[in-house]
């Protein structure tokens, strides 16, 4: 019976002039999310509300759509706090509205002795009856039709919302959305995406705040395989369900790694490699309009994520580096990864470029002066290798 959804979004973030930007971005993201879902969808704004008409409204027999699939897709759209399946009816007077409401309850519930409350809202002020009077009349009709039901104005089991606008919208269920802000309302950032558990979650978290992302992945063929790269593409695709289209830059890092391996003390390898990753990711960020870098680091998780190591990788960046997982325990990160469906892919056992060249005992408290001196040994040759890596980078659009 439900062919329309009312979309609720957080009001606080959208006071004033930014409101229409927020709403337009939300409409755009909803359309993007619904593209793979079976059915025809019409997404529109009306008086500070967003509605989605599903299937063909005029010809319901013809307009089948995938209800469950629609809800699942909407649960991935940041900015949505509630997804309400609504029954949309014409205004044919209060008598008919009572009949519509009774029909709604019959179809939506196995009516027994539930408690209920009617909450009418008269958004169209020309409607002749005040909302409290609407509550009273509809409540009376419900009690007549279902004598076993009872009114409870404080904690009703069924909260029946009736919104009176051009049409009238009846709903009682609010399916929670993911919250956050619509992607595209807060600029763009460059995610350093590995095949691990953490960085996909970091990408998800930054997108939740309305930031669009691109991604950079460093691989080291033939030390890392085509399958390892495919895994990262799959992860990007899973994030794109929330993030929208992502440009994934795949950088061939082999020669840089081998050269660093050759020239620098091995216990400093990871840190120096990281610094080159940051430099290259920043290059692509600047070239494509990203205002920050994003990593999956969390304090103390491994040797390269001590405070000293984070400071050492940070030093080479001129744009902000955001680390949304900085205060998360591993298990907390895993929980999010499972929820957003990246975990199973992340734990596939393909090699990572960092684990191949890793030292047995990496420095945990790198000294910046020492690291800088080691890097000096890399000379102009490293600049040339970086240039080549940038020039040969493959960009894959994932969505
Ligand atoms: P993850 O689970 O995200 O791989 P991790 O726990 O393995 O993280 P590190 O290997 O220290 O931690 O990597 C820290 C961060 O550096 C990652 O979260 C990611 O943002 C970035 N990074 C590491 N390796 C790569 C890579 N091959 N390509 C792109 N980014 C990388
Ligand atoms: Mg990793």
């Amino acid at each position: 019976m439900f062919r329309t959804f009312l979309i609720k979004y957080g009001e606080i973030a959208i006071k004033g002039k930014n409101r229409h930007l927020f709403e337009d971005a939300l409409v755009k993201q909803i359309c993007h999310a619904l593209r793979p879902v079976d059915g025809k969808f019409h997404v529109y704004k009306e008086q500070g509300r967003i509605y989605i008409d599903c299937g063909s409204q005029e010809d319901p027999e013809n307009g089948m759509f995938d209800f469950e699939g629609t809800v699942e897709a909407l649960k991935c759209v940041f900015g949505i706090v509630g997804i309400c399946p609504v029954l949309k009816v014409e205004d044919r007077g209060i008598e008919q509205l009572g009949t519509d409401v009774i029909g709604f309850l019959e179809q939506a519930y196995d009516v027994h002795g539930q408690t209920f409350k009617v909450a009418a809202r008269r958004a169209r002020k020309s409607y002749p009856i005040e909302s409290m009077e609407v509550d009273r009349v509809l409540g009376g009709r419900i009690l007549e039709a279902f004598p076993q039901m009872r009114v409870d104005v404080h904690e009703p089991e069924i909260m029946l919302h009736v919104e009176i606008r051009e049409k009238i919208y009846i709903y009682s269920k609010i399916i929670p959305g993911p919250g956050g802000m619509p992607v595209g309302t807060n600029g763009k950032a460059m995610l350093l995406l590995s095949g691990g558990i953490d960085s996909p979650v970091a990408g998800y978290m930054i997108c939740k705040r309305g930031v669009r992302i691109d991604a950079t992945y460093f691989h080291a063929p033939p030390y890392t395989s085509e399958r390892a790269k495919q895994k990262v593409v799959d992860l990007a695709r899973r994030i794109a369900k929330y993030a929208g289209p992502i440009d994934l830059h795949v950088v061939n890092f082999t020669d840089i790694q081998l050269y660093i391996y050759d020239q620098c003390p091995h216990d400093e390898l990871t840190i120096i490699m990281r610094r080159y990753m940051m430099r290259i990711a920043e290059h692509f960020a600047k070239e494509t309009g990203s205002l920050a870098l994003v990593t999956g680091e969390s304090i103390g998780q491994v040797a390269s994520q001590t405070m000293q190591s984070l400071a050492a990788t940070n030093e080479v960046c001129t744009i902000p580096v955001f680390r949304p997982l900085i205060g998360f325990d591993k298990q907390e990160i895993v929980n999010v990864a499972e929820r957003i469906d990246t975990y199973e892919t992340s734990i596939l056992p393909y090699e990572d470029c960092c684990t191949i060249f890793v030292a047995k005992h990496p420095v945990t408290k790198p000294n910046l002066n020492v690291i800088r001196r080691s890097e000096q040994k890399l000379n102009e040759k490293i600049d040339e290798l970086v240039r080549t890596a940038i020039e040969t980078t493959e960009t894959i659009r994932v969505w």
Side-chain angles (χ1 to χ4, degrees), residues 194-199 274 305 352 354-355:
S194 69
I197 296 169
D198 305 335
S199 44
R274 266 297 136 64
Q305 298 177 23
D352 178 80
C354 301
T355 46

Side-chain angles (χ1 to χ4, degrees), residues 45-146:
K45 297 196 295 181
E46 201 179 281
Q47 291 184 300
R49 293 279 197 192
I50 290 173
Y51 297 98
I52 308 167
D53 285 343
C54 309
S56 162
Q57 301 278 311
E58 293 74 39
D59 184 6
E61 297 302 316
N62 262 333
M64 299 301 288
F65 76 103
D66 175 359
F67 181 89
E68 295 300 328
T70 305
V71 171
E72 282 314 305
L74 293 173
K75 280 185 181 170
C76 296
V77 179
F78 293 127
I80 295 182
V81 299
I83 305 158
C84 314
V86 302
L87 177 65
K88 182 164 90 169
V89 298
E90 299 290 336
D91 176 14
R92 298 201 185 91
I94 190 79
E95 274 299 306
Q96 179 58 39
L97 183 55
T99 309
D100 291 335
V101 162
I102 289 163
F104 173 94
L105 287 172
E106 267 168 351
Q107 287 199 49
Y109 294 92
D110 169 21
V111 176
H112 44 92
Q114 294 103 322
T115 57
F116 76 99
K117 172 181 174 176
V118 181
R121 226 182 107 191
R122 192 172 56 143
R124 170 158 56 89
K125 294 299 170 207
S126 65
Y127 192 77
I129 308 170
E130 278 185 12
S131 47
M132 273 170 59
E133 181 64 7
V134 175
D135 290 347
R136 212 185 50 74
V137 174
L138 295 180
R141 288 286 303 276
I142 291 168
L143 289 172
E144 245 170 63
F146 309 107

Side-chain angles (χ1 to χ4, degrees), residues 362-394:
V363 281
T364 53
K365 294 182 181 160
N367 176 307
L368 268 176
N369 291 325
V370 175
I371 297 289
R372 281 189 207 124
R373 221 171 302 134
S374 298
E375 276 184 2
Q376 266 161 21
K377 287 192 228 122
L378 299 169
N379 293 323
E380 294 89 40
K381 170 133 191 233
I382 192 87
D383 298 337
E384 195 186 309
L385 292 175
V386 166
R387 221 173 305 126
T388 307
I390 287 171
E391 279 163 12
T392 58
T393 290
E394 176 195 7

Side-chain angles (χ1 to χ4, degrees), residues 216 248-252 280 284 388-395:
T216 304
L248 174 64
H249 305 281
V250 180
V251 182
N252 185 330
I280 294 172
F284 288 117
T388 307
I390 287 171
E391 279 163 12
T392 58
T393 290
E394 176 195 7
T395 302

Side-chain angles (χ1 to χ4, degrees), residues 18-45:
N18 290 331
R19 186 184 183 107
H20 73 278
L21 295 177
F22 184 99
E23 290 171 337
D24 291 346
L26 189 51
V27 168
K28 191 168 157 215
Q29 291 304 115
I30 290 172
C31 292
H32 173 77
L34 291 176
R35 262 201 311 201
V37 182
D38 277 342
K40 259 172 56 185
F41 301 95
H42 175 47
V43 186
Y44 56 100
K45 297 196 295 181

